[in-house]
C-alpha cells in the first residue's frame, strides 16, 4: 500500500523521533512493510532507555512497595489522600505535598512510592535527604559551584526532600533551603517529609530569619498529610527478635539428648 505524506501517522512518529536519514528517503521507503516495526522498535528502545536514565537520576534507593504497606498500622493516615498523590495531579499543578509524622510511621516509604510513580509517568525526579542536600549546597566552593548545585535541585519536575527536622541547621542552611523552595515555588513540585510540625521549625533552623517565609512558600497550595502512630520499624524489630527467640528455643528442644529408658 502506498502511503501519502499527508496525515501519515508513521511520518509524524518518525519526525518526533528525529530519524532524519529515514525522513530524507521517506518517499522511497513509505510503502515498505518493515517501516512500522522499525519505528515501533525505536520508540520502545528510547522509552526503555529514558526510563532507565530517569530511574538512575532519581536516586530512589531501596524502599517497600506500596502494595506491601500496612495501612492498619498507623493510628492516623489518610489513605485516600495518599492515593490521590499517587495519581500525580499535584505535579501537573506544580503544587507541593508534605507528609508530617513521627519517626518510623512510613513517611519515607510513601514519599518514595509517589516519586517512583512520577518516574514511571515520565517525570524527572530527584530524591535526597535534607542533610545531604543542605550539606552539599553549603559545601559549594564559590558562587559558580553553588549556582550549579542549586540548578541540580531546581531542575527536576519533582524534588523529594526527606527527613527535615531530624537535625538542626545553621542560618546558612536555612537560607539555602529557602532558595531551593523559592526557585521551585509555583513552577515545580516539592515533596517533603518531616517529623516536626511547622510550629517547631524554628527549632530546626534556630534564629533563621527566613523560616516564616520558607514555611509560607512550602505550604501554599500544598497537600499536607498528618500521619500518627508508633514506629513500624520498631514493631518489625520486636517481631524479628521474637522470631529469633522462638527459633533458638526450638533448636534447643530438638537437640536436647534423650533420657535413657530403664529396661
Amino acid at each position: 500500500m502506498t502511503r501519502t505524506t499527508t496525515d501519515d501517522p508513521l511520518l509524524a512518529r518518525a519526525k518526533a523521533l528525529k530519524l532524519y536519514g529515514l525522513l530524507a528517503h521517506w518517499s522511497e521507503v513509505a510503502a515498505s512493510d518493515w517501516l512500522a516495526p522499525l519505528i515501533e522498535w525505536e520508540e520502545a528502545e528510547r522509552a526503555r532507555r529514558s526510563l532507565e536514565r530517569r530511574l538512575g537520576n532519581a536516586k530512589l534507593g531501596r524502599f517497600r512497595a506500596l502494595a506491601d504497606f500496612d495501612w492498619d498500622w498507623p493510628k492516623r493516615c489518610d489513605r485516600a489522600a495518599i492515593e490521590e498523590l499517587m495519581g500525580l495531579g499535584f505535579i501537573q499543578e506544580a503544587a507541593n505535598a508534605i507528609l508530617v509524622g513521627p519517626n518510623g510511621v512510613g513517611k519515607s516509604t510513601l514519599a518514595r512510592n509517589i516519586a517512583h510513580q512520577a518516574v514511571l509517568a515520565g517525570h524527572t525526579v530527584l530524591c535526597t535527604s535534607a542533610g545531604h542536600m543542605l550539606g552539599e549546597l553549603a559545601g559549594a566552593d564559590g558562587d559558580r559551584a553553588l549556582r550549579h548545585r542549586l540548578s541540580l535541585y531546581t531542575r527536576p519536575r519533582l524534588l523529594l526532600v526527606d527527613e527535615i527536622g531530624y537535625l538542626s541547621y545553621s542560618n546558612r542552611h536555612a537560607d539555602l533551603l529557602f532558595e531551593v523552595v523559592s526557585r521551585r515555588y509555583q513552577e515545580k513540585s516539592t515533596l517533603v517529609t518531616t517529623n516536626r510540625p511547622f510550629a517547631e521549625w524554628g527549632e530546626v533552623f534556630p534564629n533563621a530569619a527566613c523560616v516564616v517565609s520558607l514555611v509560607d512558600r512550602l505550604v501554599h497550595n500544598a497537600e499536607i498529610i498528618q500521619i500518627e502512630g508508633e514506629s513500624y520499624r520498631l514493631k518489625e524489630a520486636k517481631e524479628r527478635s521474637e522470631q529469633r527467640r522462638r527459633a533458638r528455643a526450638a533448636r534447643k528442644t530438638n537437640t536436647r539428648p534423650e533420657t535413657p529408658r530403664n529396661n
Side-chain angles (χ1 to χ4, degrees):
M1 184 181 76
T2 303
R3 296 187 181 96
T4 63
T5 58
T6 304
D7 298 324
D8 186 345
L10 281 182
L11 177 60
R13 288 160 66 186
K15 288 180 178 178
L17 292 169
K18 299 180 180 180
L19 299 176
Y20 298 120
L22 187 65
L23 291 169
H25 298 276
W26 190 260
S27 60
E28 303 168 36
V29 302
S32 302
D33 293 336
W34 51 262
L35 184 60
L38 175 68
I39 292 177
E40 290 173 4
W41 295 336
E42 187 68 26
E43 289 172 336
E45 179 60 17
R46 292 196 187 189
R48 184 194 66 78
R49 296 179 67 175
S50 175
L51 175 58
E52 188 177 79
R53 182 172 59 254
R54 292 196 311 277
L55 282 171
N57 292 339
K59 303 185 187 303
L60 285 164
R62 296 180 61 184
F63 60 95
R64 185 190 302 270
L66 193 62
D68 298 327
F69 186 78
D70 187 355
W71 293 100
D72 295 327
W73 178 251
K75 295 178 181 178
R76 175 186 176 189
C77 182
D78 191 338
R79 182 173 182 175
I82 295 294
E83 291 176 342
E84 184 174 345
L85 290 178
M86 289 288 289
L88 307 178
F90 76 104
I91 296 179
Q92 302 297 334
E93 299 171 2
N96 296 333
I98 303 164
L99 308 184
V100 186
N103 183 40
V105 294
K107 303 184 301 298
S108 295
T109 294
L110 295 171
R112 289 177 188 274
N113 273 276
I114 294 167
H116 183 247
Q117 187 66 23
V119 173
L120 296 180
H123 298 299
T124 54
V125 174
L126 177 59
C127 302
T128 183
S129 68
H132 177 81
M133 181 181 76
L134 296 179
E136 185 176 65
L137 291 173
D141 185 13
D143 291 342
R144 181 175 181 181
L146 178 58
R147 287 195 300 270
H148 173 69
R149 291 183 182 181
L150 280 170
S151 70
L152 293 179
Y153 294 106
T154 304
R155 191 181 305 125
R157 190 74 184 275
L158 175 64
L159 174 66
L160 165 56
V161 183
D162 204 7
E163 301 176 344
I164 294 181
Y166 290 85
L167 300 172
S168 293
Y169 298 97
S170 68
N171 292 356
R172 170 65 169 161
H173 292 111
D175 291 341
L176 289 168
L177 180 58
F178 177 74
E179 183 69 22
V180 171
V181 171
S182 296
R183 289 188 179 206
R184 300 182 60 81
Y185 180 57
Q186 295 187 323
E187 297 290 335
K188 295 169 184 176
S189 296
T190 304
L191 174 58
V192 167
T193 73
T194 178
N195 66 330
R196 297 286 198 101
F198 294 114
E200 297 179 5
W201 276 35
E203 300 174 20
V204 180
F205 303 99
N207 303 317
C210 67
V211 171
V212 173
S213 297
L214 166 63
V215 172
D216 181 65
R217 282 169 172 74
L218 195 59
V219 303
H220 179 234
N221 195 30
E223 178 72 39
I224 303 173
I225 300 176
Q226 184 77 38
I227 305 173
E228 298 175 0
E230 302 298 325
S231 172
Y232 191 81
R233 287 192 290 270
L234 180 59
K235 167 182 175 288
E236 287 187 321
K238 289 179 177 178
E239 290 175 347
R240 287 194 297 269
S241 179
E242 179 62 19
Q243 289 171 359
R244 288 194 293 268
R245 186 193 66 78
R246 291 177 180 177
R248 286 194 298 268
R251 288 195 298 270
K252 186 175 180 180
T253 300
N254 293 335
T255 57
R256 183 177 300 164
E258 295 183 3
T259 303
R261 298 180 180 177
N262 295 325
N263 294 329

